[in-house]
Amino acid sequence: MGVDTWGVDYGVLDKNGKLISIPYHYRDARNIGTTKVVEEKIGLDRLYELTGIEYMEINTLNQLIAAINMDDPTIKSGEKILFMADLLQYFLSGVAKAEFCLSTTSCMFNTAESKWEDQVFDAFDIPKKLQPETVYGGQVLGNIREEIAIETGISKECKVITPAPHDTACAAVAVPKLGENVAFLSSGTWSLTGLELDEANINEETKKRNIANSGGAFGKILFLKS
């Protein structure tokens, strides 16, 4: 089994692997006004150059800025952030890892180099210890936890395998001939149109148009516009 969800939202685990508090939703009003902090500390242009992600005030980065502004204790006492699908798969398997697709939605991940971007963490005083290990879709996280198997009647041999757990990535990978000069439109809560690329496309024109280089299945890049 595997889980897919939306992007950007996250939970924080403590040193004992316990979820510290109920996650916020990206539409929470606490994010309003965080753009000013981004502009002051790093600038929107530089942030895009480092991450290649479409800037919106709902991004994980903005949520963490809001948490810091509120003196949210999860930032200081937390040991690792996990995005929503990763968090649910952690509950199922006991293995805490973040998948590439969801990591790229954070606006704290260098999509071109496929790594957490330390410059972003440093600019906003976000502890780098929160950076989770990143894996790609198809990774076997482990067997389902024994207590869950017993309670639900699911076989103890059931594997928890992370898909491309961002819902847009799941939708895109189902498109026939994706990557062969084929564009797609995914419509749900959001409508996103884009292409699948082999590598990130980050330049002055994409910056001006605020186009996302989001993670896709098999390590591909989804060149997306909301």
Side-chain angles (χ1 to χ4, degrees):
M1 72 170 62
V3 178
D4 87 276
T5 63
W6 61 98
V8 305
D9 286 352
Y10 68 94
V12 183
L13 303 182
D14 67 14
K15 64 181 180 180
N16 297 314
K18 300 295 185 182
L19 180 65
I20 296 178
S21 65
I22 299 298
Y24 280 81
H25 191 272
Y26 65 78
R27 288 192 172 99
D28 193 272
R30 71 177 185 157
N31 301 331
I32 296 172
T34 51
T35 296
K36 182 179 179 182
V37 179
V38 175
E39 290 175 330
E40 289 173 350
K41 293 199 171 184
I42 199 169
L44 295 178
D45 285 353
R46 182 55 178 160
L47 183 62
Y48 184 86
E49 290 166 2
L50 291 170
T51 66
I53 286 297
E54 179 180 11
Y55 179 79
M56 292 182 284
E57 213 167 41
I58 64 171
N59 290 341
T60 314
L61 172 61
N62 297 74
Q63 296 193 44
L64 288 171
I65 291 170
I68 291 170
N69 288 343
M70 295 168 57
D71 290 325
D72 187 330
T74 62
I75 304 301
K76 293 180 180 179
S77 59
E79 291 291 322
K80 184 179 297 186
I81 62 171
L82 288 178
F83 302 98
M84 298 310 297
D86 303 318
L87 186 63
L88 294 171
Q89 289 174 150
Y90 167 64
F91 292 155
L92 290 169
S93 69
V95 178
K97 295 182 180 180
E99 203 278 337
F100 169 70
C101 297
L102 286 177
S103 299
T104 66
T105 70
S106 67
C107 212
M108 301 187 296
F109 193 88
N110 188 317
T111 305
E113 298 182 16
S114 191
K115 67 180 182 69
W116 292 105
E117 182 48 71
D118 286 346
Q119 291 184 55
V120 175
F121 280 76
D122 289 340
F124 299 97
D125 296 319
I126 299 170
K128 288 194 282 289
K129 67 176 182 176
L130 293 176
Q131 298 174 3
E133 179 184 347
T134 305
V135 297
Y136 288 93
Q139 171 94 27
V140 178
L141 298 176
N143 285 5
I144 192 167
R145 290 166 55 198
E146 184 175 2
E147 59 267 37
I148 295 177
I150 293 171
E151 183 176 349
T152 61
I154 295 173
S155 169
K156 296 177 184 178
E157 302 304 312
C158 176
K159 303 291 184 186
V160 179
I161 305 174
T162 185
H166 183 204
D167 50 6
T168 304
C170 276
V173 76
V175 176
K177 297 185 178 180
L178 184 66
E180 299 179 21
N181 202 30
V182 172
F184 66 89
L185 174 65
S186 174
S187 289
T189 305
W190 298 81
S191 287
L192 303 101
T193 188
L195 303 164
E196 182 186 78
L197 306 178
D198 289 328
E199 58 186 24
N201 185 17
I202 302 171
N203 54 49
E204 289 301 316
E205 186 67 17
T206 63
K207 184 199 304 181
K208 183 173 71 175
R209 297 181 182 274
N210 199 24
I211 299 175
N213 290 269
S214 182
F218 311 114
K220 300 287 188 176
I221 300 298
L222 298 181
F223 192 60
L224 294 172
K225 183 63 179 177
S226 298

